[in-house]
Amino acid sequence: SDIYSTIEYYKTLYNFDVKFCQLSNKIINNYDIVFKLTSNDPCLNHQNIISILHLQGKQLNCESVRLLSLTPYICGSNIFYTFPVFCPNIKETNNNHITMIGLYDEESFDQDTIQFIHTNHDYTFNFIIRRYNNHYEKIKSIQNVQLYIGLSTPGMVDIIHNSKYILSKKNIKHDRFSGQLGLAVSFEKPLILDSQTKNKYDLPCLPFDKKYGEIGKLDNIYNYNELKNNIKAKKKEMLKHNKKIFRQFYL
């Protein structure tokens, strides 16, 4: 199912077909390359399928000889690292919006986060949360916060276009990929990102060690255009690397 209209959005960028069919190993003979989106999904197993590995250890129940990792934290002799990045239609509308995308519970809105929002009161903070399981009472009364629950992909894309920064979680998990990293690079939006993740992925960003408060007032950031140029260059570099990896699959 495409409950967030993600396939609908990708159809505006790429030409592809969606087919619903009975899965069997016969599919291996019908296509040059077959990818499985989650390595440990039992839907189909074959050594020639290239599986995407999301968590270290999940390859144990997978017959694939070659796996794609989305993060440098997961590596191995038969694991190929590619950073997920694509080429949307870029709209240069950098309004004073900061957007966070992903799972964000009530406890994540600690005093440091709320103070960072208040310090940058002339910015609108968008929190796009796919799964709603909290009341978010801490932020509903803050005027420069917008909360979006279950937003469609086209709606999310519009908000990203209108954003100046992408805000990463303060306590991002370092054993898996965070989708907003790929979205930030794809849409060429500088990240507000913890130093460990910055260094591991080598991403241009506004870094902090432990607290958002270390960044202070965003209006005092003098090198925004430099950050934009650096993230464009990083995107180009990542696309080149990914193409090199994918060409190996045709050999």
Side-chain angles (χ1 to χ4, degrees), residues 90-111:
I90 302 295
K91 297 178 184 177
E92 295 291 348
T93 53
N94 299 315
N95 297 320
N96 277 6
H97 283 238
I98 299 170
T99 298
M100 197 292 304
I101 305 159
L103 296 175
Y104 217 73
D105 56 25
E106 191 97 37
E107 288 70 31
S108 299
F109 293 100
D110 59 8
Q111 187 57 42

PDB file of all heavy atoms in Angstrom, residues 90-111:
ATOM      1  N   ILE A  90      14.537  20.977  -7.621  1.00  0.00           N
ATOM      2  CA  ILE A  90      14.882  21.892  -6.539  1.00  0.00           C
ATOM      3  C   ILE A  90      14.205  23.244  -6.729  1.00  0.00           C
ATOM      4  O   ILE A  90      14.235  23.822  -7.820  1.00  0.00           O
ATOM      5  CB  ILE A  90      16.415  22.095  -6.457  1.00  0.00           C
ATOM      6  CG1 ILE A  90      17.120  20.746  -6.246  1.00  0.00           C
ATOM      7  CG2 ILE A  90      16.772  23.069  -5.343  1.00  0.00           C
ATOM      8  CD1 ILE A  90      16.823  20.075  -4.938  1.00  0.00           C
ATOM      9  N   LYS A  91      13.560  23.718  -5.658  1.00  0.00           N
ATOM     10  CA  LYS A  91      12.989  25.070  -5.655  1.00  0.00           C
ATOM     11  C   LYS A  91      13.752  25.896  -4.620  1.00  0.00           C
ATOM     12  O   LYS A  91      13.780  25.554  -3.441  1.00  0.00           O
ATOM     13  CB  LYS A  91      11.497  25.013  -5.294  1.00  0.00           C
ATOM     14  CG  LYS A  91      10.642  24.243  -6.284  1.00  0.00           C
ATOM     15  CD  LYS A  91       9.186  24.196  -5.832  1.00  0.00           C
ATOM     16  CE  LYS A  91       8.335  23.351  -6.770  1.00  0.00           C
ATOM     17  NZ  LYS A  91       6.922  23.263  -6.273  1.00  0.00           N
ATOM     18  N   GLU A  92      14.369  26.957  -5.064  1.00  0.00           N
ATOM     19  CA  GLU A  92      15.186  27.790  -4.172  1.00  0.00           C
ATOM     20  C   GLU A  92      14.303  28.756  -3.383  1.00  0.00           C
ATOM     21  O   GLU A  92      14.185  29.933  -3.698  1.00  0.00           O
ATOM     22  CB  GLU A  92      16.243  28.551  -4.976  1.00  0.00           C
ATOM     23  CG  GLU A  92      17.272  27.652  -5.633  1.00  0.00           C
ATOM     24  CD  GLU A  92      18.201  26.980  -4.625  1.00  0.00           C
ATOM     25  OE1 GLU A  92      18.192  27.378  -3.446  1.00  0.00           O
ATOM     26  OE2 GLU A  92      18.929  26.053  -5.025  1.00  0.00           O
ATOM     27  N   THR A  93      13.633  28.226  -2.378  1.00  0.00           N
ATOM     28  CA  THR A  93      12.778  29.052  -1.511  1.00  0.00           C
ATOM     29  C   THR A  93      13.186  28.814  -0.069  1.00  0.00           C
ATOM     30  O   THR A  93      12.576  28.018   0.639  1.00  0.00           O
ATOM     31  CB  THR A  93      11.295  28.701  -1.706  1.00  0.00           C
ATOM     32  OG1 THR A  93      11.125  27.287  -1.533  1.00  0.00           O
ATOM     33  CG2 THR A  93      10.810  29.081  -3.106  1.00  0.00           C
ATOM     34  N   ASN A  94      14.243  29.477   0.355  1.00  0.00           N
ATOM     35  CA  ASN A  94      14.766  29.261   1.703  1.00  0.00           C
ATOM     36  C   ASN A  94      14.133  30.231   2.696  1.00  0.00           C
ATOM     37  O   ASN A  94      14.711  31.241   3.071  1.00  0.00           O
ATOM     38  CB  ASN A  94      16.288  29.423   1.692  1.00  0.00           C
ATOM     39  CG  ASN A  94      16.961  28.412   0.785  1.00  0.00           C
ATOM     40  OD1 ASN A  94      16.631  27.238   0.810  1.00  0.00           O
ATOM     41  ND2 ASN A  94      17.900  28.870  -0.032  1.00  0.00           N
ATOM     42  N   ASN A  95      12.906  29.914   3.095  1.00  0.00           N
ATOM     43  CA  ASN A  95      12.235  30.721   4.104  1.00  0.00           C
ATOM     44  C   ASN A  95      12.780  30.368   5.493  1.00  0.00           C
ATOM     45  O   ASN A  95      13.524  29.408   5.650  1.00  0.00           O
ATOM     46  CB  ASN A  95      10.729  30.479   4.043  1.00  0.00           C
ATOM     47  CG  ASN A  95      10.140  30.917   2.712  1.00  0.00           C
ATOM     48  OD1 ASN A  95      10.521  31.940   2.162  1.00  0.00           O
ATOM     49  ND2 ASN A  95       9.227  30.118   2.173  1.00  0.00           N
ATOM     50  N   ASN A  96      12.404  31.139   6.471  1.00  0.00           N
ATOM     51  CA  ASN A  96      12.854  30.877   7.841  1.00  0.00           C
ATOM     52  C   ASN A  96      12.054  29.725   8.450  1.00  0.00           C
ATOM     53  O   ASN A  96      11.291  29.895   9.404  1.00  0.00           O
ATOM     54  CB  ASN A  96      12.730  32.139   8.691  1.00  0.00           C
ATOM     55  CG  ASN A  96      13.922  33.062   8.511  1.00  0.00           C
ATOM     56  OD1 ASN A  96      14.785  32.821   7.672  1.00  0.00           O
ATOM     57  ND2 ASN A  96      13.981  34.119   9.297  1.00  0.00           N
ATOM     58  N   HIS A  97      12.251  28.539   7.854  1.00  0.00           N
ATOM     59  CA  HIS A  97      11.601  27.330   8.346  1.00  0.00           C
ATOM     60  C   HIS A  97      12.668  26.291   8.655  1.00  0.00           C
ATOM     61  O   HIS A  97      13.642  26.139   7.914  1.00  0.00           O
ATOM     62  CB  HIS A  97      10.628  26.757   7.301  1.00  0.00           C
ATOM     63  CG  HIS A  97       9.342  27.501   7.213  1.00  0.00           C
ATOM     64  ND1 HIS A  97       8.114  26.907   7.404  1.00  0.00           N
ATOM     65  CD2 HIS A  97       9.075  28.803   6.948  1.00  0.00           C
ATOM     66  CE1 HIS A  97       7.149  27.806   7.254  1.00  0.00           C
ATOM     67  NE2 HIS A  97       7.714  28.970   6.975  1.00  0.00           N
ATOM     68  N   ILE A  98      12.479  25.568   9.747  1.00  0.00           N
ATOM     69  CA  ILE A  98      13.341  24.455  10.137  1.00  0.00           C
ATOM     70  C   ILE A  98      12.437  23.231  10.259  1.00  0.00           C
ATOM     71  O   ILE A  98      11.406  23.282  10.936  1.00  0.00           O
ATOM     72  CB  ILE A  98      14.038  24.738  11.473  1.00  0.00           C
ATOM     73  CG1 ILE A  98      14.911  25.986  11.356  1.00  0.00           C
ATOM     74  CG2 ILE A  98      14.881  23.543  11.907  1.00  0.00           C
ATOM     75  CD1 ILE A  98      15.449  26.470  12.690  1.00  0.00           C
ATOM     76  N   THR A  99      12.822  22.142   9.613  1.00  0.00           N
ATOM     77  CA  THR A  99      11.941  20.979   9.547  1.00  0.00           C
ATOM     78  C   THR A  99      12.615  19.734  10.083  1.00  0.00           C
ATOM     79  O   THR A  99      13.755  19.432   9.740  1.00  0.00           O
ATOM     80  CB  THR A  99      11.482  20.745   8.092  1.00  0.00           C
ATOM     81  OG1 THR A  99      10.740  21.887   7.649  1.00  0.00           O
ATOM     82  CG2 THR A  99      10.604  19.506   7.981  1.00  0.00           C
ATOM     83  N   MET A 100      11.900  19.012  10.947  1.00  0.00           N
ATOM     84  CA  MET A 100      12.325  17.711  11.451  1.00  0.00           C
ATOM     85  C   MET A 100      11.349  16.671  10.921  1.00  0.00           C
ATOM     86  O   MET A 100      10.145  16.873  10.953  1.00  0.00           O
ATOM     87  CB  MET A 100      12.339  17.707  12.984  1.00  0.00           C
ATOM     88  CG  MET A 100      13.147  16.575  13.629  1.00  0.00           C
ATOM     89  SD  MET A 100      12.514  14.895  13.445  1.00  0.00           S
ATOM     90  CE  MET A 100      10.867  15.036  14.115  1.00  0.00           C
ATOM     91  N   ILE A 101      11.883  15.546  10.431  1.00  0.00           N
ATOM     92  CA  ILE A 101      11.052  14.503   9.841  1.00  0.00           C
ATOM     93  C   ILE A 101      11.383  13.171  10.500  1.00  0.00           C
ATOM     94  O   ILE A 101      12.545  12.775  10.558  1.00  0.00           O
ATOM     95  CB  ILE A 101      11.303  14.386   8.323  1.00  0.00           C
ATOM     96  CG1 ILE A 101      11.085  15.743   7.638  1.00  0.00           C
ATOM     97  CG2 ILE A 101      10.401  13.323   7.693  1.00  0.00           C
ATOM     98  CD1 ILE A 101      11.758  15.863   6.298  1.00  0.00           C
ATOM     99  N   GLY A 102      10.376  12.478  10.996  1.00  0.00           N
ATOM    100  CA  GLY A 102      10.632  11.145  11.544  1.00  0.00           C
ATOM    101  C   GLY A 102       9.871  10.875  12.826  1.00  0.00           C
ATOM    102  O   GLY A 102       8.833  11.485  13.102  1.00  0.00           O
ATOM    103  N   LEU A 103      10.387   9.943  13.608  1.00  0.00           N
ATOM    104  CA  LEU A 103       9.776   9.602  14.892  1.00  0.00           C
ATOM    105  C   LEU A 103      10.268  10.577  15.959  1.00  0.00           C
ATOM    106  O   LEU A 103      11.464  10.758  16.137  1.00  0.00           O
ATOM    107  CB  LEU A 103      10.143   8.168  15.285  1.00  0.00           C
ATOM    108  CG  LEU A 103       9.626   7.062  14.366  1.00  0.00           C
ATOM    109  CD1 LEU A 103      10.157   5.713  14.814  1.00  0.00           C
ATOM    110  CD2 LEU A 103       8.108   7.045  14.362  1.00  0.00           C
ATOM    111  N   TYR A 104       9.358  11.199  16.635  1.00  0.00           N
ATOM    112  CA  TYR A 104       9.723  12.194  17.652  1.00  0.00           C
ATOM    113  C   TYR A 104       8.666  12.116  18.740  1.00  0.00           C
ATOM    114  O   TYR A 104       7.503  12.474  18.526  1.00  0.00           O
ATOM    115  CB  TYR A 104       9.735  13.593  17.018  1.00  0.00           C
ATOM    116  CG  TYR A 104      10.830  14.496  17.539  1.00  0.00           C
ATOM    117  CD1 TYR A 104      12.150  14.289  17.170  1.00  0.00           C
ATOM    118  CD2 TYR A 104      10.552  15.570  18.378  1.00  0.00           C
ATOM    119  CE1 TYR A 104      13.164  15.125  17.607  1.00  0.00           C
ATOM    120  CE2 TYR A 104      11.558  16.411  18.828  1.00  0.00           C
ATOM    121  CZ  TYR A 104      12.868  16.188  18.434  1.00  0.00           C
ATOM    122  OH  TYR A 104      13.876  17.015  18.881  1.00  0.00           O
ATOM    123  N   ASP A 105       9.040  11.612  19.898  1.00  0.00           N
ATOM    124  CA  ASP A 105       8.062  11.449  20.965  1.00  0.00           C
ATOM    125  C   ASP A 105       8.072  12.652  21.910  1.00  0.00           C
ATOM    126  O   ASP A 105       8.877  13.572  21.774  1.00  0.00           O
ATOM    127  CB  ASP A 105       8.294  10.146  21.738  1.00  0.00           C
ATOM    128  CG  ASP A 105       9.707  10.052  22.305  1.00  0.00           C
ATOM    129  OD1 ASP A 105      10.339  11.099  22.522  1.00  0.00           O
ATOM    130  OD2 ASP A 105      10.172   8.917  22.517  1.00  0.00           O
ATOM    131  N   GLU A 106       7.174  12.615  22.858  1.00  0.00           N
ATOM    132  CA  GLU A 106       6.999  13.737  23.782  1.00  0.00           C
ATOM    133  C   GLU A 106       8.280  14.036  24.562  1.00  0.00           C
ATOM    134  O   GLU A 106       8.646  15.190  24.780  1.00  0.00           O
ATOM    135  CB  GLU A 106       5.874  13.404  24.769  1.00  0.00           C
ATOM    136  CG  GLU A 106       5.410  14.571  25.606  1.00  0.00           C
ATOM    137  CD  GLU A 106       4.173  15.253  25.052  1.00  0.00           C
ATOM    138  OE1 GLU A 106       3.300  14.565  24.529  1.00  0.00           O
ATOM    139  OE2 GLU A 106       4.099  16.486  25.156  1.00  0.00           O
ATOM    140  N   GLU A 107       9.011  12.977  24.935  1.00  0.00           N
ATOM    141  CA  GLU A 107      10.214  13.152  25.741  1.00  0.00           C
ATOM    142  C   GLU A 107      11.334  13.853  24.966  1.00  0.00           C
ATOM    143  O   GLU A 107      12.258  14.421  25.561  1.00  0.00           O
ATOM    144  CB  GLU A 107      10.718  11.790  26.244  1.00  0.00           C
ATOM    145  CG  GLU A 107       9.853  11.150  27.329  1.00  0.00           C
ATOM    146  CD  GLU A 107       8.509  10.667  26.795  1.00  0.00           C
ATOM    147  OE1 GLU A 107       8.451  10.278  25.610  1.00  0.00           O
ATOM    148  OE2 GLU A 107       7.523  10.706  27.557  1.00  0.00           O
ATOM    149  N   SER A 108      11.275  13.801  23.633  1.00  0.00           N
ATOM    150  CA  SER A 108      12.314  14.441  22.820  1.00  0.00           C
ATOM    151  C   SER A 108      12.280  15.959  22.943  1.00  0.00           C
ATOM    152  O   SER A 108      13.284  16.630  22.707  1.00  0.00           O
ATOM    153  CB  SER A 108      12.150  14.036  21.357  1.00  0.00           C
ATOM    154  OG  SER A 108      12.287  12.634  21.191  1.00  0.00           O
ATOM    155  N   PHE A 109      11.136  16.485  23.321  1.00  0.00           N
ATOM    156  CA  PHE A 109      11.010  17.930  23.497  1.00  0.00           C
ATOM    157  C   PHE A 109      11.463  18.320  24.905  1.00  0.00           C
ATOM    158  O   PHE A 109      10.671  18.725  25.747  1.00  0.00           O
ATOM    159  CB  PHE A 109       9.568  18.380  23.230  1.00  0.00           C
ATOM    160  CG  PHE A 109       9.148  18.220  21.794  1.00  0.00           C
ATOM    161  CD1 PHE A 109       8.381  17.140  21.399  1.00  0.00           C
ATOM    162  CD2 PHE A 109       9.533  19.153  20.843  1.00  0.00           C
ATOM    163  CE1 PHE A 109       7.992  16.991  20.077  1.00  0.00           C
ATOM    164  CE2 PHE A 109       9.158  19.005  19.521  1.00  0.00           C
ATOM    165  CZ  PHE A 109       8.390  17.914  19.129  1.00  0.00           C
ATOM    166  N   ASP A 110      12.761  18.174  25.130  1.00  0.00           N
ATOM    167  CA  ASP A 110      13.317  18.505  26.437  1.00  0.00           C
ATOM    168  C   ASP A 110      13.547  20.018  26.531  1.00  0.00           C
ATOM    169  O   ASP A 110      13.251  20.777  25.604  1.00  0.00           O
ATOM    170  CB  ASP A 110      14.608  17.732  26.689  1.00  0.00           C
ATOM    171  CG  ASP A 110      15.678  18.013  25.626  1.00  0.00           C
ATOM    172  OD1 ASP A 110      15.483  18.919  24.786  1.00  0.00           O
ATOM    173  OD2 ASP A 110      16.708  17.324  25.630  1.00  0.00           O
ATOM    174  N   GLN A 111      14.091  20.463  27.665  1.00  0.00           N
ATOM    175  CA  GLN A 111      14.263  21.887  27.908  1.00  0.00           C
ATOM    176  C   GLN A 111      15.197  22.532  26.883  1.00  0.00           C
ATOM    177  O   GLN A 111      14.962  23.652  26.437  1.00  0.00           O
ATOM    178  CB  GLN A 111      14.803  22.119  29.326  1.00  0.00           C
ATOM    179  CG  GLN A 111      14.850  23.589  29.734  1.00  0.00           C
ATOM    180  CD  GLN A 111      13.491  24.276  29.633  1.00  0.00           C
ATOM    181  OE1 GLN A 111      12.470  23.702  30.015  1.00  0.00           O
ATOM    182  NE2 GLN A 111      13.473  25.501  29.104  1.00  0.00           N
TER     183      GLN A 111
END
